[in-house]
Amino acid sequence: MRERSPSAMQDLLPDPLQSLPNNGERAVPTAAVPVLMLLAIAITAIAMILFAAARHFDSGEAERTQQRVRRTLAAYDVALSATTRDYAGWDAAVTHMVDNFNEPWADENVGIYLNGAFRIALSMVVDRQERVVYAVRDGKRLSAERRGELHLPPALGQMVARTIANPPGMTEAVTGLVRMPDGLYLASAADIRPALGGSARPDGLTLLFLQRVDRAAVAHALEPLLLDNLDMPSRLVPGGATGVLALREYGAPDDAPPVGWISWRMPTPAQDFLHGIYWALALVILVLFMLTGLMLLRGQRIVQRERQTQQALSRMLDHCHNLIDSLPDMVCLVREGRVELVNRAGLALFGLMPGQRSQVLGRPFLDLVVPDDRLAFHRRAQSGTQPGRPDWAPLHLAGPGGGAVPVSLIVLSSPGMGAGELTIVARDRGEEMASRENLRAAEARAAIADRAKGQFLANISHELRTPLNAIIGFSEILRDELLGTLGAPQYREYANDIHEGGLHLLRLVNDLLDIARMDAGALELRESWVEIGALIERCERLVREKAVERGVPLRIDVSPPGIRILSDEVRMKQMLVNLMGNAIRFSESGQRIDVRVRLDAITGDMLIEVADQGIGMTVDAMRIALEPFAQVEGGHNRRQPGAGLGLPLARGYAEAHGGSLTMQSTPAVGTTVTVRLPAARVGGTGMRA
C-alpha cells in the first residue's frame, strides 16, 4: 500500500491551531483564565481532602490489621485446641495409651504422625504426677532418660491441672502460650477420656501438643495478611509506624511482663499511594490546563474522524455482506419473525437466484418451514442457543416445487443483538443423509455376510464331522486289528497315521465350530468346580512329549495349592493346551516355559500366566496373532505349521468365562500370555466340584 507524504497527511488532518489568532504569539482566550483558576482551586481542595481521607483510612486500616492478627493467631489456638481435643477424646487413645500404653501405636497415630501432618514440634503424655511417660520431639521419640530431663513449666502445669479438673463429660482442651527452656511454644492440653465422655481417672493421662512460636512460625501463620517487616524482637523500640502485639504466658497476671512480642510495619496504603503520586500532581495540573484548551480545538478533528469512521463502517458492512454470501451454509437474519437478510446459500436452498432475494425478504420465516416442522422450529426459536454451544436440529425447509429440503438448523441469539432478532444458520443434509443411507446399507450387507460366514462354518463343520468320525472309527479297527490280522506291519502304521490325521482334522473342525459359535454369541459352557492345579498337570502330560522332543523344560507353579475355578473343564483344558503348545512351538532347546497360577491381591481375580523365552513378537505381530486364521509369518517364512486358531480360541474361551486374555512380548526375549478370570468364579480348596 502506498504511503502518503507528510503534506498529504496534513491536508487530510488540518492543524487545529490555525484557528487561533496569531499576533506574533498565540493569545490565550480571556475566558480561559477564570476557568483555569477555578480548576487550580478545585485540584487543591481535592488534594487536601484526599490526604485527610488517606490519614483517616490508614488509621482504620492499622486497627483492622491489629484485629486480623489477633483473629489469625486465635484461629491457630482454636485449631490446635480442636486437634488436641479430638485425639484426647479418641477411644483408641484410651485403649492404647491409658489402659495399656502402646508406644508403636502412639508413634504411628499421635507423635510422629502429628509432627508431619500438623507441625507439632513436641508431643507429650504426662501422668497425674506431671511425669512425662511419652514424648516425641520433631518426629523422634525420646528415650526414658531424655523424658526424665523434661520438666513441665508452671504454666504448662496449670493447663494440665485445669483440663483434669474439668467436670465429667467429654474432654476439653486448654490452650495457651508457655515458655520452655528452648523457646516459646503454643501448647494445648487435654485429659484423655472416652469419646462418650466420663470423669477424670485417677490413673489417667494428659495429652500435650506444643507448636513452636518463633519468627518462622509466626511468619507462616500471618503470611495471608502480607505484613511487612514482621519480626519477634527481644525488646521493643518505640515508634508510631510499628504495630505491636504482646504475647503473654498462660496463667500469668495481667501486670506480668509479656514473654514476647510480634511487630510489623503499620500499613499505610492510602498515604503510600498519595506519596507516590506527589511528583505527578504538577504534571496532572499542567495536563489539565493544556487539555482545557485543546479539547475545543480538537472538535473539528473529531467531526472529521467520525465522518471517516462512518465511511469505514460502510465499507466493513459491504465486506460482511460479501462474506456472508460466500458461506456454504444458509445464514438468515430474522427480526420480529420476518426475514431481514439471507445469503446466496439460503436462496439456493429455496431454489431462488440472487436476483430473486425480494421473494424471501420480509416474509415470516415460519412460512419457509414445512408445516410438520413448524412447531419444532417455533420451540427452537423460543429457547435459542447459547453462543459457542451449537445445538443443530434436523428440520425441513420448503424447497423448490413444493418439495422439502432436509437441513440441520441452529438458532443463535446473543445479548449484543436487538430484541426480537435471531440469526438462523441452516446446512443442507441431502448429501449427508444419502451417505448415511449408503453406509447403513453397507453395514446391513456386512452383517448379512458375517452371519452367512458363521452359518457356513457351522454347517460345513457339522458336514465334515460325520465322515471324519467314520474315518477315525474304521482306522481304529484297522490299527487294533479287531476283525483279524492285516498281514504286513506297514498296514498298521498306515492305519495309525490315518487315525492321527482324522483326529487332527476333527480337532480343527471342532475349533472352527467354536469360532463360529463365538462369532454368533452362542457358545455354551458346561460349568463345574475344577481344581486348576490338577487340570494344568493333565495338560502338561498332553504336551510333555512335544516339550521333551524340543528340549524345552516346563515349570508349573500354582499358588495357593488346591485352588478351584467354576468353569467348563473341556474348554479350559483346550485353552491351556493351546497356550502351552504355542509356547513350546516357538521355543528353542533349553529355553524354559513357566506356567504360573496366582490370585490378584487387589481384585481377587485368578491369573494364569504362560511365559516362554522364545522368539517373541512385535506389537503388530501380537495383534495379528489374536485374529482367527491369521499367521504372523506367512508363506515359506512360517517356522511352525498351524491354522491360526490357538490364541483366538484361547481368548474366546477366556471371554466366555467373563475374563480376558492379554499378551506381553519382546522380540528375541520371550512372550507372556495372561488369562484373567473373575473373582466370582474362584473358590477355595474346600469347595465341592
Side-chain angles (χ1 to χ4, degrees):
M1 184 174 180
R2 186 175 61 184
E3 297 182 355
R4 296 183 180 268
S5 63
S7 60
M9 294 299 294
Q10 292 174 0
D11 292 338
L12 279 176
L13 300 174
D15 188 357
L17 296 179
Q18 293 177 359
S19 61
L20 293 177
N22 188 0
N23 297 323
E25 294 182 358
R26 290 185 173 89
V28 178
T30 307
V33 175
V35 174
L36 296 178
M37 290 180 62
L38 289 175
L39 185 60
I41 294 172
I43 291 174
T44 304
I46 292 173
M48 294 176 64
I49 294 172
L50 285 176
F51 281 110
R55 291 177 62 85
H56 179 73
F57 178 83
D58 289 343
S59 176
E61 183 64 20
E63 183 178 351
R64 289 190 292 271
T65 301
Q66 186 91 3
Q67 294 174 357
R68 285 195 290 266
V69 170
R70 292 181 183 277
R71 285 197 299 268
T72 302
L73 295 179
Y76 268 73
D77 290 1
V78 172
L80 182 60
S81 176
T83 301
T84 309
R85 183 181 64 249
D86 290 344
Y87 277 83
W90 189 11
D91 288 338
V94 177
T95 302
H96 296 285
M97 299 177 73
V98 178
D99 296 338
N100 184 16
F101 202 91
N102 187 340
E103 285 191 343
W105 184 91
D107 289 342
E108 181 178 356
N109 295 276
V110 180
I112 297 176
Y113 169 74
L114 290 179
N115 174 257
F118 297 99
R119 298 187 178 183
I120 304 299
L122 179 60
S123 301
M124 294 189 294
V125 178
V126 300
D127 59 12
R128 295 296 187 241
Q129 289 75 36
E130 297 186 2
R131 292 190 300 254
V132 180
V133 299
Y134 172 79
V136 172
R137 182 187 291 276
D138 296 329
K140 296 181 180 179
R141 188 204 305 165
L142 300 183
S143 62
E145 181 180 354
R146 294 285 302 279
R147 293 198 303 268
E149 298 174 357
L150 293 176
H151 300 286
L152 302 186
L156 201 55
Q158 294 179 29
M159 295 170 65
V160 172
R162 180 175 173 182
T163 187
I164 295 174
N166 283 331
M170 293 185 292
T171 185
E172 291 295 333
V174 181
T175 306
L177 287 172
V178 298
R179 179 178 290 281
M180 299 288 287
D182 59 341
L184 196 61
Y185 285 83
L186 177 62
S188 182
D191 186 47
I192 302 177
R193 299 183 186 181
L196 297 178
S199 302
R201 291 171 46 173
D203 60 341
L205 299 176
T206 303
L207 186 64
L208 298 173
F209 291 155
L210 287 82
Q211 288 181 330
R212 286 191 179 90
V213 180
D214 53 15
R215 188 181 183 282
V218 171
H220 176 75
L222 301 179
E223 183 179 2
L225 302 183
L226 303 176
L227 300 178
D228 293 332
N229 299 336
L230 186 65
D231 197 7
M232 292 186 65
S234 57
R235 63 185 182 87
L236 290 180
V237 178
T242 302
V244 178
L245 179 65
L247 302 177
R248 300 187 180 278
E249 191 172 18
Y250 177 83
D254 294 339
D255 57 351
V259 294
W261 294 270
I262 299 176
S263 66
W264 62 91
R265 189 180 76 84
M266 298 291 286
T268 56
Q271 295 184 57
D272 291 344
F273 172 75
L274 293 179
H275 290 160
I277 63 172
Y278 275 150
W279 60 271
L281 289 179
L283 181 61
V284 169
I285 295 173
L286 179 61
V287 170
L288 287 176
F289 278 108
M290 295 177 63
L291 288 177
T292 302
L294 291 177
M295 288 298 293
L296 297 175
L297 302 177
R298 288 183 176 272
Q300 181 180 357
R301 183 177 296 179
I302 292 174
V303 172
Q304 185 176 4
R305 288 177 179 173
E306 288 181 353
R307 186 182 303 113
Q308 294 173 351
T309 301
Q310 291 294 334
Q311 295 173 355
L313 289 176
S314 178
R315 291 194 298 270
M316 185 178 297
L317 184 60
D318 292 338
H319 292 326
C320 289
H321 280 290
N322 294 333
L323 177 61
I324 293 175
D325 274 341
S326 65
L327 294 176
D329 297 334
M330 184 195 82
V331 178
C332 183
L333 178 62
V334 176
R335 176 177 292 147
E336 301 298 337
R338 295 185 176 273
V339 178
E340 187 170 278
L341 181 146
V342 63
N343 64 346
R344 293 184 180 180
L347 294 174
L349 284 179
F350 303 123
L352 301 176
M353 301 298 292
Q356 299 173 308
R357 201 183 300 263
S358 59
Q359 298 184 22
V360 178
L361 297 180
R363 292 182 58 185
F365 188 85
L366 202 61
D367 292 348
L368 305 177
V369 182
V370 297
D372 292 342
D373 289 346
R374 288 178 181 176
L375 179 59
F377 171 76
H378 180 71
R379 292 174 178 172
R380 178 70 55 177
Q382 291 295 323
S383 62
T385 302
Q386 294 295 330
R389 298 178 58 188
D391 186 11
W392 297 88
L395 293 175
H396 291 81
L397 299 180
V405 179
V407 297
S408 292
L409 183 140
I410 184 172
V411 180
L412 300 175
S413 61
S414 64
M417 302 178 67
E421 290 187 355
L422 295 173
T423 300
I424 299 174
V425 180
R427 180 174 298 166
D428 191 352
R429 292 194 303 124
E431 295 183 1
E432 178 186 352
M433 295 179 65
S435 299
R436 288 184 179 178
E437 190 63 31
N438 293 335
L439 179 60
R440 191 178 297 111
E443 290 177 349
R445 290 193 297 271
I448 294 173
D450 189 61
R451 287 194 298 269
K453 180 196 71 173
Q455 188 64 35
F456 170 75
L457 287 175
N459 292 338
I460 197 66
S461 299
H462 283 295
E463 292 296 330
L464 290 174
R465 290 175 67 177
T466 300
L468 282 175
N469 287 330
I471 293 172
I472 294 171
F474 288 130
S475 62
E476 285 181 352
I477 294 174
L478 295 175
R479 181 194 61 187
D480 298 335
E481 298 180 340
L482 296 179
L483 301 179
T485 60
L486 298 177
Q490 288 83 356
Y491 291 155
R492 286 193 300 273
E493 295 178 4
Y494 297 156
N496 185 63
D497 292 340
I498 294 172
H499 182 265
E500 292 295 329
L503 289 177
H504 177 73
L505 288 176
L506 183 60
R507 285 193 296 268
L508 182 58
V509 169
N510 288 334
D511 290 347
L512 289 172
L513 186 58
D514 278 352
I515 287 290
R517 289 170 178 167
M518 290 175 187
D519 288 342
L523 184 65
E524 296 182 358
L525 300 179
R526 297 181 179 179
E527 298 178 341
S528 63
W529 287 101
V530 180
E531 185 178 342
I532 193 66
L535 179 62
I536 291 178
E537 290 179 359
R538 292 197 296 272
C539 295
E540 188 269 341
R541 285 195 295 269
L542 292 176
V543 300
R544 183 183 301 166
E545 181 178 351
K546 186 184 296 183
V548 171
E549 178 182 341
R550 295 187 63 87
V552 177
L554 276 171
R555 188 175 69 176
I556 299 174
D557 181 14
V558 179
S559 178
I563 197 71
R564 294 174 181 265
I565 186 76
L566 181 62
S567 62
D568 186 323
E569 183 174 0
V570 175
R571 267 53 183 266
M572 284 290 294
K573 179 179 178 182
Q574 187 173 354
M575 176 180 67
L576 292 171
V577 169
N578 285 346
L579 295 180
M580 295 166 69
N582 271 357
I584 294 171
R585 223 174 16 248
F586 295 100
S587 297
E588 301 296 338
S589 178
Q591 294 177 340
R592 190 182 68 207
I593 296 175
D594 291 320
V595 182
R596 297 183 291 267
V597 179
R598 58 186 176 87
L599 298 181
D600 191 315
I602 298 176
T603 63
D605 295 345
M606 175 181 287
L607 301 179
I608 304 175
E609 297 177 348
V610 179
D612 62 58
Q613 300 172 352
I615 60 174
M617 288 184 287
T618 62
V619 175
D620 291 337
M622 286 190 287
R623 177 181 55 80
I624 295 173
L626 289 172
E627 294 295 329
F629 309 105
Q631 294 287 346
V632 175
E633 297 176 332
H636 298 289
N637 294 327
R638 287 178 51 185
R639 301 184 181 180
Q640 301 293 338
L645 296 177
L647 285 175
L649 277 173
R651 183 174 66 174
Y653 292 150
E655 293 174 352
H657 285 80
S660 62
L661 182 145
T662 57
M663 296 179 63
Q664 292 181 342
S665 184
T666 303
V669 175
T671 302
T672 300
V673 180
T674 303
V675 176
R676 177 183 289 270
L677 299 176
R681 291 183 171 273
V682 180
T685 56
M687 298 293 293
R688 291 186 303 171

